[in-house]
Amino acid sequence: MARSVRGGSRLDSGLLIACVVLSVLALVIKGDVRDRVSATLRTTVLAPLVALEGRSAAIRATVTSRSDVLNTRGELAVRALSVQALTDENDALRRMVGLGARLRDGFVVAELLPTRGTNDDFTIALNVGTNVGVMPYSPVVSADGLVGMVRTVDANTSYAITWASPEFAVSAMSADETAFGIVKPHLGTGADRWLLELRSVPYRANVDSGTLVVSAGMGGTYPRGIPIGTVLSEISTTEKWARTYLLRPAVLPKSLGPLIVMLPPRAARGVNGVWTTVTSADSAARAVATAGDSLARNAALDELAARRAAQDSTGVDSLARDTIVRRPVTRADSARADSARPARTARPDTARPRPTGPPPVSLLRDGPPPPDESR
């Protein structure tokens, strides 16, 4: 072991001495000779090292360029997300302004506060209280529909339960007022926890998928006509006398922003026509289409009746015309008119012999011919 260490030190010493000698020679020899020697060394002994250094430089440049590209993409993604967030916020604010313009009065705009002091995850804190007229059981809404109800309130803060709370319940009906029931949280697991149920719907009322469900206004808390959700499908339950439907909420808790708290006098007046939805627009379009079809049907019936009347009048005219031609009527003044006329000459065919035999069928049908006045 000691010999190997000693041999290694000798080799290192020899290499050091050789490097020192080569350095001295490189400083002493002339420039052109030094350049030729260095070129020869680079192309022979140091060629692998030079190639390795070139590849290392290329890899370093590639890694640096890739890192710059990734950093640029990250910055662009962050900017795009911020722009999308600003766009969504502006859209929400526009819809809230439109909702406030339709409500006109009797409401206050509230911002969300941290809910550290609450006992559940389904309660929201608002920065409004009794100082602006907020009272318990005041409805909390957004531009998309119903959010919840104020449960407790103090001077400057109020706490409201959302529709996801197990305590939430609201009387509801379909937008076309053909089905009524009670909306409560679904209380499922996973993503189904954030759905609603329309319960106690009469069995004879069949609600199609995609039907809008709004508040029915029963109970005195929520006014009639606030969007709650959209029907997804029917749920199979043990109740054979009623139906239960699964709803997609109109407002998602994660998308809550500025909210509106309706004051009791405004809620008592109702919100008819405040929330305009695609469903109502579709129903209006269907009503217009139905009215157009009825008008077209009535127009077609009127045209058919006019054609039949025209045909009937044409038949009556032709019958009268045939009667007048076949059976001429002799007026009272015809004799006086004939006496005033000059005598007419005999027609060329009067010299023809009269036919013998039975009279033709036409004479039997129309009667005997009128007397010949030429005789």
Side-chain angles (χ1 to χ4, degrees):
M1 188 69 177
R3 291 181 179 179
S4 61
V5 173
R6 187 180 301 109
S9 61
R10 288 178 180 178
L11 179 60
D12 295 338
S13 301
L15 291 176
L16 178 60
I17 293 171
C19 289
V20 171
V21 172
L22 291 175
S23 301
V24 172
L25 291 176
L27 293 174
V28 172
I29 61 178
K30 297 180 180 181
D32 53 350
V33 177
R34 184 171 60 250
D35 293 338
R36 287 196 298 270
V37 172
S38 62
T40 303
L41 292 175
R42 283 197 300 271
T43 56
T44 55
V45 179
L46 301 177
L49 298 177
V50 173
L52 181 61
E53 183 181 4
R55 286 195 294 270
S56 299
I59 293 173
R60 189 182 303 107
T62 302
V63 172
T64 303
S65 177
R66 178 65 176 174
S67 178
D68 294 340
V69 170
L70 293 178
N71 292 335
T72 304
R73 288 182 178 178
E75 293 177 358
L76 293 176
V78 171
R79 293 179 181 178
L81 290 176
S82 62
V83 170
Q84 185 63 34
L86 291 175
T87 302
D88 295 340
E89 184 178 0
N90 291 335
D91 183 52
L93 291 176
R94 289 193 190 96
R95 289 188 285 115
M96 288 294 293
V97 170
L99 177 61
R102 292 190 295 270
L103 287 173
R104 295 184 180 180
D105 57 0
F107 66 93
V108 292
V109 180
E111 293 287 343
L112 295 176
L113 297 176
T115 56
R116 299 175 183 175
T118 58
N119 298 325
D120 55 69
D121 297 332
F122 312 117
T123 302
I124 56 176
L126 305 174
N127 63 343
V128 293
T130 55
N131 58 350
V132 292
V134 177
M135 301 294 292
Y137 306 106
S138 296
V140 181
V141 298
S142 71
D144 296 324
L146 183 62
V147 176
M149 175 192 67
V150 174
R151 184 171 56 181
T152 59
V153 60
D154 55 26
N156 299 310
T157 308
S158 58
Y159 294 91
I161 60 172
T162 63
W163 55 259
S165 174
E167 303 175 5
F168 176 82
V170 55
S171 61
M173 65 180 182
S174 59
D176 54 2
E177 301 183 6
T178 59
F180 290 81
I182 303 296
V183 171
K184 292 185 178 181
H186 181 51
L187 301 179
T189 58
D192 292 343
R193 176 63 183 83
W194 305 103
L195 296 176
L196 294 169
E197 291 183 6
L198 177 61
R199 305 176 184 176
S200 303
V201 179
Y203 193 80
R204 65 179 181 277
N206 189 10
V207 184
D208 297 331
S209 176
T211 302
L212 178 66
V213 176
V214 299
S215 58
M218 302 177 184
T221 300
Y222 304 100
R224 184 188 186 98
I226 302 177
I228 300 174
T230 306
V231 175
L232 293 176
S233 61
E234 184 177 358
I235 303 176
S236 178
T237 60
T238 57
E239 298 179 353
K240 301 303 181 182
W241 61 90
R243 298 176 184 267
T244 301
Y245 294 92
L246 195 65
L247 305 182
R248 181 178 63 245
V251 181
L252 297 178
K254 294 184 179 180
S255 62
L256 292 180
L259 301 176
I260 284 180
V261 180
M262 298 179 61
L263 302 181
R266 184 64 182 85
R269 293 204 309 266
V271 292
N272 292 332
V274 173
W275 275 271
T276 56
T277 60
V278 177
T279 304
S280 61
D282 292 341
S283 62
R286 287 194 296 270
V288 171
T290 304
D293 294 340
S294 63
L295 291 176
R297 185 167 56 252
N298 293 335
L301 292 176
D302 293 341
E303 183 180 359
L304 180 59
R307 289 182 179 179
R308 289 179 178 176
Q311 292 178 357
D312 294 341
S313 63
T314 303
V316 172
D317 294 341
S318 61
L319 180 60
R321 189 167 50 251
D322 293 341
T323 304
I324 292 172
V325 171
R326 293 175 182 177
R327 296 182 180 179
V329 179
T330 304
R331 293 181 299 179
D333 56 350
S334 59
R336 184 171 57 255
D338 294 340
S339 61
R341 293 177 185 174
R344 292 182 296 177
T345 58
R347 292 179 295 180
D349 57 352
T350 55
R352 295 178 182 178
R354 296 180 62 84
T356 60
V361 178
S362 60
L363 295 179
L364 295 177
R365 183 183 59 189
D366 297 335
D372 191 358
E373 298 178 356
S374 60
R375 294 184 179 180

